[in-house]
Amino acid sequence: MTEPDLYEVVNPATEEVITTVELGGAAETDAAVARARAAFDTWRRVAPADRARLLRAFAAAVDADREHLAALEVANAGHTIGNARWEAGNARDVIEYYAAAPERLFGRQIPVAGGLDVTFQEPLGVVGVIVPWNFPMPIAAWALAPALAAGNTVIVKPAELTPLTALRLGELALQAGIPEGVLQILPGRGTVVGQRFVTHPDVRKVVFTGSTRVGKEIMAGCAARVKPVTLELGGKSANIVFADADLARAAATAPYAVFDNAGQDCCARSRILVEASVHDEFMALLEPAVRGVRVGDPADEKTEMGPLISAAHRARVASYVPDAAAVAFRGTAPDGPGFWYPPTVLAPVRHDDPAFTEEIFGPVVAVVPFRDEEDAVRIANATEYGLSGSIWTRDVGRALRVSRAVEAGNLSVNSHSSVRYTTPFGGFKQSGLGRELGPDALDAFTQTKNVFISTEE
Ligand code: NAD
């Protein structure tokens, strides 16, 4: 008998151990895959209306448990209670949205000579979902809901640091009547459980959200097995502010576009590009907005930003702001226990400074001026990433030109919104591959089968 691999789950706002979770090893992963493989044979044959009903019951169970799920995320991930409630509601909405899919998974009837030609959207089989620690609930839900709706069975591997809400979602699915083995939550190490999803022949698809570095390894491993993969990776998104914008609104909202979730957001607008003619005016408006961000106890309803996820992550974030860094201004952060880091604005910043080129994944933003529209687009696109971004202007033509020119999957004009469960989400360039959410997500969990039926006598 090998010793169980026990992992202490820590509250990042207090540094206290909340609970201990047993991490699965290779044998547990293989056993989970075998259960999921067996469950697939029955789940795919559940009548569409019954699969839809079960998913609606699952969504209702999540809805009834929202406060509990939110409290778990406040404790486990240090998310503000406001954000955590939104995340639990988002998980419910995504499951409910895809509950409509089993009855609408249409194929096509294609005109051919000598018979009838129809297509079927067939499920893939067992889907392995690897989730990061920054948004444990929504990211699990974005994959598991369309995958289950399309008739696949799913194993979710939460991040080591944040397994609690995923485990709860698994319990709620069972309570709602989703059969055993159809959705399993398996806490474990990425290099063990996550890696086994890549190599196990019965896992037919991997959905990975996390760092670009690990995403490349997963893609290489899946390539060797011709296994489809969806990747949602890092970002270094630009918030582009033109001189004709509503500067007061652009400056008041810019902190929340990057400091939300303490900057641990793949869509964080961590580069602010400001037209040179209004740069100083913008900075003067930005300063009080940044100093006004309420950082503190995430359970307090008024708090706008909580701690970072871990001491190691805080050290990594801090490494981008050495003593010699040009800190324009800073917000506040509590003293004492907890992995706190204050909202930090860097300016002026060189375009080759790692703080301007690399994903920091913390509450650090760099502001740089640009000359004109062409210069703004050039700077925005001078990155290997392409996930999201914002464009602030009152000129509709410019808003559309720049939206088409910026190489990113999710843009917002005069807003910082990136995510709606009804619209597609995903990255350009090294920010990812494939799209989640919206009507397109089902394509990622089905394959098209063509059947020709002869009408010849
Ligand atoms: P990470 O890549 O270290 O880990 C992500 C997940 O992968 C974890 O569950 C981890 O256990 C697992 N993992 C690690 N090594 C693995 C391996 N060799 N094989 C299989 N699985 C492995 O990333 P992180 O630090 O947890 O998350 C932060 C990153 O996630 C950031 O770069 C961020 O931009 C990205 N992210 C992207 C999106 C998006 O939608 N594009 C959303 C959230 C986070």
Side-chain angles (χ1 to χ4, degrees):
M1 274 282 289
T2 50
E3 288 291 307
D5 187 0
L6 297 176
Y7 192 89
E8 288 189 339
V9 180
V10 171
N11 180 331
T14 63
E15 304 184 31
E16 283 163 9
V17 175
I18 314 167
T19 183
T20 302
V21 168
E22 189 171 337
L23 300 183
E28 284 81 8
T29 313
D30 286 358
V33 174
R35 279 192 297 274
R37 178 66 193 82
F40 174 61
D41 290 334
T42 44
W43 179 244
R44 66 173 307 187
R45 285 201 296 270
V46 171
D50 292 334
R51 220 187 301 141
R53 227 186 318 277
L54 285 167
L55 287 170
R56 284 197 296 271
F58 183 16
V62 172
D63 187 53
D65 201 58
R66 254 183 314 143
E67 272 308 303
H68 175 229
L69 283 164
L72 277 180
E73 210 66 287
V74 171
N76 189 175
H79 289 196
T80 62
I81 181 66
N83 279 8
R85 285 184 179 131
W86 182 90
E87 290 157 22
N90 178 259
R92 170 206 57 202
D93 291 343
V94 172
I95 297 165
E96 201 162 80
Y97 178 73
Y98 288 108
E103 295 172 288
R104 293 167 178 79
L105 213 53
F106 305 123
R108 285 177 296 176
Q109 179 264 313
I110 299 170
V112 288
L116 171 75
D117 193 282
V118 287
T119 66
F120 296 92
Q121 292 310 111
E122 301 285 14
L124 302 170
V126 179
V127 175
V129 180
I130 303 171
V131 179
W133 47 259
N134 63 328
F135 287 113
M137 261 188 286
I139 291 174
W142 298 359
L144 70 84
L148 293 177
N152 304 280
T153 53
V154 174
I155 310 173
V156 173
K157 190 207 84 64
E160 292 87 325
L161 289 160
T162 54
L164 300 188
T165 47
L167 287 167
R168 182 66 187 148
L169 288 176
E171 291 170 4
L172 293 169
L174 286 176
Q175 270 177 31
I178 305 251
E180 294 267 355
V182 169
L183 171 63
Q184 300 175 76
I185 313 296
L186 183 61
R189 299 191 188 275
T191 46
V192 180
V193 178
Q195 188 53 33
R196 191 69 185 125
F197 288 173
V198 173
T199 57
H200 199 301
D202 280 341
V203 176
R204 294 293 167 84
K205 155 111 197 182
V206 176
V207 180
F208 171 81
T209 305
S211 60
T212 296
R213 181 186 64 76
V214 176
K216 287 177 184 174
E217 284 175 31
I218 301 231
M219 190 172 172
C222 287
R225 295 158 182 89
V226 198
K227 188 178 288 196
V229 61
T230 297
L231 300 174
E232 298 287 1
L233 309 174
K236 190 72 184 174
S237 298
N239 176 7
I240 308 173
V241 182
F242 287 96
D244 70 351
D246 178 343
L247 276 193
R249 238 180 95 218
T253 56
Y256 302 97
V258 55
F259 302 144
D260 191 60
N261 205 28
Q264 303 165 121
D265 182 340
C266 49
C267 291
R269 276 69 164 169
S270 53
R271 297 183 298 154
I272 304 180
L273 318 185
V274 186
E275 193 159 352
S277 58
V278 293
H279 179 268
D280 293 352
E281 187 186 345
F282 180 83
M283 290 301 271
L285 291 164
L286 184 64
E287 181 164 356
V290 169
R291 293 197 195 281
V293 176
R294 293 169 195 252
V295 184
D297 177 4
D300 183 334
E301 307 257 347
K302 294 199 185 70
T303 296
E304 294 176 321
M305 189 183 117
L308 292 170
I309 192 69
S310 66
H313 186 55
R314 179 173 59 183
R316 194 178 157 267
V317 169
S319 73
Y320 286 96
V321 191
D323 289 343
V327 174
F329 39 84
R330 271 197 143 134
T332 59
D335 299 323
F339 309 122
W340 304 100
Y341 196 84
T344 300
V345 178
L346 302 177
V349 180
R350 287 167 51 112
H351 289 195
D352 61 356
D353 186 323
F356 193 69
T357 59
E358 294 178 18
E359 181 179 51
I360 299 176
F361 225 52
V364 179
V365 68
V367 187
V368 302
F370 65 83
R371 274 190 317 276
D372 53 20
E373 191 177 311
E374 195 188 338
D375 198 33
V377 170
R378 184 187 60 77
I379 301 170
N381 287 341
T383 166
E384 67 198 23
Y385 295 116
L387 191 54
S388 69
S390 305
I391 298 146
W392 288 78
T393 177
R394 287 186 169 107
D395 179 333
V396 177
R398 166 178 282 160
L400 283 170
R401 280 194 305 276
V402 177
S403 297
R404 297 300 299 272
V406 172
E407 297 164 340
N410 301 84
L411 294 169
S412 51
V413 174
N414 297 328
S415 152
H416 296 298
S417 139
S418 295
V419 171
R420 287 187 177 75
Y421 62 85
T422 50
T423 60
F425 177 81
F428 278 29
K429 301 196 279 187
Q430 293 193 31
S431 284
L433 201 67
R435 291 292 175 271
E436 300 196 279
L437 300 176
D440 304 351
L442 292 159
D443 294 344
F445 297 105
T446 54
Q447 51 196 339
T448 303
K449 179 182 286 171
N450 192 70
V451 177
F452 170 75
I453 304 159
S454 170
T455 50
E456 301 292 313
E457 288 197 56

